[in-house]
């Protein structure tokens, strides 16, 4: 069954600290993996996208990793800021002929406190 | 400014009402999507349009009727909705060669059914 599981479900950290969010998937055949950030009351915004051959991708203080062998990805946030408080969603794209099917995770809710 | 604009941002309606959600993008994208986001559930793809033609309908009940008059505008007509239809409805768009992977999301319409 094609699934994306994220952990933890929620996380609270202090401003300035680092954190790592996890994404495990059982999607096949794999096309790519994307991390989105969704602020409260806003739509998701794409942070990174990685294909099978990429094992790390950075976007400012956000660094995503991908291990296609173990089917795991992580999103590391460095020196967190209050504005990092949001839901972080992992999405895996599955090849399906001419189109790709997206399998969405439930997200990790991150709260950064002062 | 996300590039994808949705109106209204909030909508409260009774089960017998008829209303429409509007989505507009001026990013030059040719694919547009409707998603439903409910609490504690992953994003659910509802409809996909490519070059104004509907290419995907994920078994959505007929009380949801999409309309795509051109590549920049997308509507979702609502009629005789049920309480379980209360959710955040997100519109997204992408360039035509992205294999149905949404690139940009709007901020959604928060729909409440009384």
């Amino acid at each position: 069954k094609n699934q994306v599981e994220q952990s933890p479900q929620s996380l609270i950290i202090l401003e300035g600290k680092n954190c790592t969010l996890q994404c495990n998937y059982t999607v096949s055949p794999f096309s790519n993996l994307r991390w989105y950030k969704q602020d409260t009351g806003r739509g998701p915004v794409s942070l990174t996208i990685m294909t099978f051959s990429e094992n790390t991708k950075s976007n400012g203080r956000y660094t995503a990793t991908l291990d296609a062998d173990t089917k795991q990805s992580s999103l590391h946030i460095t020196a967190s800021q209050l504005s990092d408080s949001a839901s972080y969603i992992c999405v895996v794209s599955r090849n399906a002929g001419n189109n790709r099917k997206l399998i969405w995770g439930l997200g990790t809710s991150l709260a950064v406190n002062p | 400014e996300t590039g994808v604009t949705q109106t209204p941002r909030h909508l409260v309606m009774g089960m017998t009402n008829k209303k429409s959600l509007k989505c507009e993008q001026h990013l030059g994208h040719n694919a547009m999507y409707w998603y439903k986001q409910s609490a504690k559930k992953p994003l659910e793809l509802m409809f996909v349009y490519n070059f104004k033609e509907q290419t995907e309908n994920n078994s959505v009940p007929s009380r949801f009727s999409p309309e795509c008059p051109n590549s920049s505008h997308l509507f979702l007509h609502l009629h005789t909705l049920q309480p379980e239809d209360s959710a955040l409805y997100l519109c997204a768009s992408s360039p035509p060669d992205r294999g149905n992977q949404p690139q940009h999301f709007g901020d959604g319409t928060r729909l409440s059914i009384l």
Side-chain angles (χ1 to χ4, degrees):
Chain A
K1 186 176 181 182
N2 294 295
Q3 285 185 316
V4 173
E5 294 185 355
Q6 294 187 242
S7 62
Q9 185 176 359
S10 61
L11 181 63
I12 301 173
I13 62 173
L14 292 176
E15 185 179 11
K17 297 297 185 182
N18 303 337
C19 68
T20 300
L21 314 180
Q22 299 291 341
C23 174
N24 297 340
Y25 61 92
T26 57
V27 178
S28 180
F30 176 89
S31 177
N32 60 60
L33 184 147
R34 195 189 293 262
W35 282 93
Y36 283 91
K37 177 188 179 189
Q38 185 173 19
D39 292 314
T40 301
R42 305 296 297 273
V45 174
S46 181
L47 293 175
T48 62
I49 179 170
M50 289 179 291
T51 59
F52 186 88
S53 60
E54 297 173 295
N55 55 24
T56 186
K57 185 73 70 79
S58 290
N59 179 356
R61 294 180 296 102
Y62 300 103
T63 299
T65 65
L66 173 65
D67 185 333
D69 292 330
T70 62
K71 297 188 176 181
Q72 296 180 326
S73 175
S74 66
L75 180 69
H76 186 75
I77 304 175
T78 304
S80 61
Q81 300 177 359
L82 299 179
S83 59
D84 293 330
S85 296
S87 179
Y88 292 85
I89 306 173
C90 175
V91 187
V92 179
S93 177
R94 172 177 176 262
N95 272 326
N98 291 329
N99 291 328
R100 299 190 183 102
K101 300 292 185 182
L102 299 185
I103 313 299
W104 293 77
L106 283 173
T108 291
S109 178
L110 174 66
V112 180
N113 290 341
Chain B
E1 177 59 51
T2 66
V4 178
T5 303
Q6 290 187 243
T7 55
R9 291 296 312 279
H10 302 273
L11 179 62
V12 179
M13 58 186 286
M15 289 190 287
T16 59
N17 292 156
K18 288 184 181 181
K19 296 287 185 183
S20 295
L21 310 185
K22 179 181 177 182
C23 176
E24 185 174 354
Q25 61 90 8
H26 296 287
L27 299 169
H29 293 170
N30 295 99
M32 297 188 77
Y33 313 75
W34 279 117
Y35 278 87
K36 177 183 179 182
Q37 187 174 33
S38 304
K40 302 190 184 302
K41 295 179 71 174
L43 261 72
E44 301 172 55
L45 178 64
M46 300 174 71
F47 302 102
V48 181
Y49 277 82
N50 280 285
F51 294 96
K52 303 187 300 178
E53 299 298 320
Q54 186 180 118
T55 54
E56 195 160 342
N57 176 338
N58 263 0
S59 303
V60 180
S62 59
R63 57 185 183 269
F64 294 92
S65 175
E67 178 189 1
C68 189
N70 55 61
S71 294
S72 299
H73 294 85
L74 184 65
F75 296 89
L76 188 62
H77 304 300
L78 316 173
H79 176 49
T80 321
L81 295 192
Q82 303 299 308
E84 62 266 28
D85 296 324
S86 296
L88 180 67
Y89 288 85
L90 292 163
C91 173
S93 69
S94 67
D97 58 346
R98 293 294 180 176
N100 278 355
Q101 299 192 87
Q103 299 275 331
H104 293 268
F105 281 86
D107 287 334
T109 294
R110 173 68 63 185
L111 177 64
S112 298
I113 306 300
L114 300 178

